[in-house]
Amino acid sequence: MKEKRQLKIGGTIDGVGWNYMGWRHPDMPANASESIEYYVQKAKRLEEGKFDTIFLTDVSHIGPNMIPHYLSMFEGVTILSALSMVTHSIGLTATIATSYADPFTVARQMASLDKISNGRAGWNAITSNPGGLANYSRNHLSKADLYPMKKEFLEIVEGLWDSYEDDAFIRDKQSGIFFNPKKMHALNFKGEYFSVDGPLNISRSRQGRPVIFQAGSSSDFMNIAAKHADGVFLPSDDLEDAKAFSHEVKRRVALEGRSPDDFIITLSHNPIVGRTDREAEEKFQELESLMPGYRILKPKFFGSAEKVADQIEQWYEAGAMDLLKIRQEHPSGFDDFINLVIPILQEKGIFRTEYESHTLCGNLGLPYPENRYSM
């Protein structure tokens, strides 16, 4: 049995926030969701806190009643490519839905981000809602198509990422040999939803390929994730439910002949932290005062830094999560967590004080993904 990995932590940058009122706070730039300066500032701050990765969510169909962030926001791979130039170790994880994207394009986009960032890319592969299908001319598909199509999509992307073996490119000017054609591999995939010849026209990165995350909770989701993901996002505010989800997903990972120790269970929380419980309460009330009559749920991880750190330790030690993904409810959310909670987690010995690697795969403690043609 492997030694238990330290807790991993990621941060979702949601621009003006993932609620309805955050943009009205005096400390929040009203255009944060489309401000490169804001994203750069937050990315650097998360890296100072030794976070494993930045996460970006995405939506493909909007309406006037959605939260302000979703109404005007950057496309994920584009902004993460920019952030890769001002960071050095933190991961860069984009959300792209398999229900409406094109697998060859996604494979190329994410492999390019992986090369640009020197091995720090991650892909959150999700399914979409009916609205998203409508925006991408896929109204002919039904809900029953989403997971079979996702399975094909993932098989294609993983296959394309193995188009070149690690040592395919020689680039020897003296001999005039640029690459070894025997180490380039076509895919020739023919499925119900996609047909892709390959190969992909970009070599593998320092971490081999982007780290793959998936999000969901259904049985079909868990079966696909157990075979095609490096980690999952599970929805749960209940410790016992989270433990049960984690156990079941890792059981299915083992059934695929993979090591459950090399699989990351991620939970998302939006802590509100203060030096005292009272200070956290004041921040919560401050948010609600920005939009009288509108109420938000009090976060699960809430209160003084010591209290929140103890809660996180409890969930981690119970096996409910390997990675905690935080979103900032209050504009000071990231700063409060980094300044107040991270030092306590470091003192407890469950979170790093320095990066172990310059790749996302390495920092997550995942094994290097060998090319299928080299094994």
Side-chain angles (χ1 to χ4, degrees), residues 75 77-78 81 96 101-116 121 161 200 202 210:
E75 185 279 320
V77 178
T78 305
S81 296
I96 306 176
D102 173 80
F104 190 92
T105 301
V106 170
R108 194 178 187 196
Q109 281 180 302
M110 293 308 306
S112 295
L113 176 61
D114 210 22
K115 295 285 282 192
I116 291 168
W161 284 341
L200 192 67
I202 188 167

Side-chain angles (χ1 to χ4, degrees), residues 226 249-260:
V249 173
K250 291 196 174 187
R251 183 187 71 83
R252 299 190 193 203
V253 169
L255 290 176
E256 291 290 341
R258 304 172 61 194
S259 171

Side-chain angles (χ1 to χ4, degrees), residues 64 238 270 339:
D238 180 83
N270 52 312
N339 292 336

Side-chain angles (χ1 to χ4, degrees), residues 45 48-49 51 273 275 305 332-344 346:
R45 190 70 182 106
E48 288 171 4
F51 279 41
V273 182
R275 285 180 287 269
S332 67
F334 286 147
D335 286 333
D336 293 337
F337 193 87
I338 291 167
N339 292 336
L340 302 175
V341 179
I342 290 292
I344 300 173
Q346 291 170 333

Side-chain angles (χ1 to χ4, degrees), residues 50-279:
K50 310 302 178 188
F51 279 41
D52 287 85
T53 187
I54 296 164
F55 288 100
L56 295 184
T57 58
D58 195 26
V59 292
S60 54
H61 189 267
I62 63 170
N65 294 323
M66 299 192 80
I67 61 172
H69 173 57
Y70 290 160
L71 297 178
S72 184
M73 60 188 288
F74 287 125
E75 185 279 320
V77 178
T78 305
I79 187 63
L80 289 173
S81 296
L83 297 182
S84 74
M85 304 306 293
V86 295
T87 55
H88 53 78
S89 297
I90 194 168
L92 305 160
T93 301
T95 296
I96 306 176
T98 59
S99 308
Y100 56 72
D102 173 80
F104 190 92
T105 301
V106 170
R108 194 178 187 196
Q109 281 180 302
M110 293 308 306
S112 295
L113 176 61
D114 210 22
K115 295 285 282 192
I116 291 168
S117 65
N118 288 316
R120 294 186 282 135
W123 171 36
N124 178 26
I126 63 169
T127 53
S128 181
N129 57 34
L133 298 178
N135 274 343
Y136 286 84
S137 305
R138 291 189 179 175
N139 271 334
H140 60 287
L141 297 175
S142 70
K143 187 175 180 180
D145 291 299
L146 298 187
Y147 279 112
M149 185 166 70
K150 182 176 186 176
K151 183 174 180 292
E152 282 193 14
F153 198 112
L154 288 160
E155 289 173 359
I156 292 168
V157 171
E158 289 175 313
L160 289 171
W161 284 341
D162 281 344
S163 291
Y164 291 110
E165 295 178 45
D166 287 354
D167 57 350
F169 286 88
I170 299 164
R171 297 186 175 101
D172 186 324
K173 292 186 178 182
Q174 187 171 354
S175 67
I177 299 175
F178 190 74
F179 86 114
N180 181 348
K182 294 181 179 179
K183 298 197 173 187
M184 179 179 76
H185 304 278
L187 184 62
N188 298 318
F189 183 96
K190 300 289 187 293
E192 184 177 348
Y193 300 95
F194 301 106
S195 176
V196 178
D197 287 350
L200 192 67
N201 57 336
I202 188 167
S203 63
R204 279 160 61 95
S205 74
R206 288 173 60 184
Q207 68 171 356
R209 57 157 176 78
V211 174
I212 301 175
F213 294 96
Q214 294 183 40
S217 59
S218 71
S219 182
D220 287 341
F221 154 77
M222 286 191 276
N223 286 336
I224 293 175
K227 185 171 184 178
H228 294 286
D230 300 301
V232 294
F233 299 114
L234 299 177
S236 184
D237 279 335
D238 180 83
L239 176 57
E240 293 305 315
D241 285 348
K243 287 166 59 178
F245 269 128
S246 176
H247 176 79
E248 178 59 20
V249 173
K250 291 196 174 187
R251 183 187 71 83
R252 299 190 193 203
V253 169
L255 290 176
E256 291 290 341
R258 304 172 61 194
S259 171
D261 294 330
D262 297 329
F263 196 85
I264 304 291
I265 301 294
T266 304
L267 297 181
S268 180
H269 286 274
N270 52 312
I272 294 181
V273 182
R275 285 180 287 269
T276 64
D277 287 348
R278 181 61 196 162
E279 188 174 86

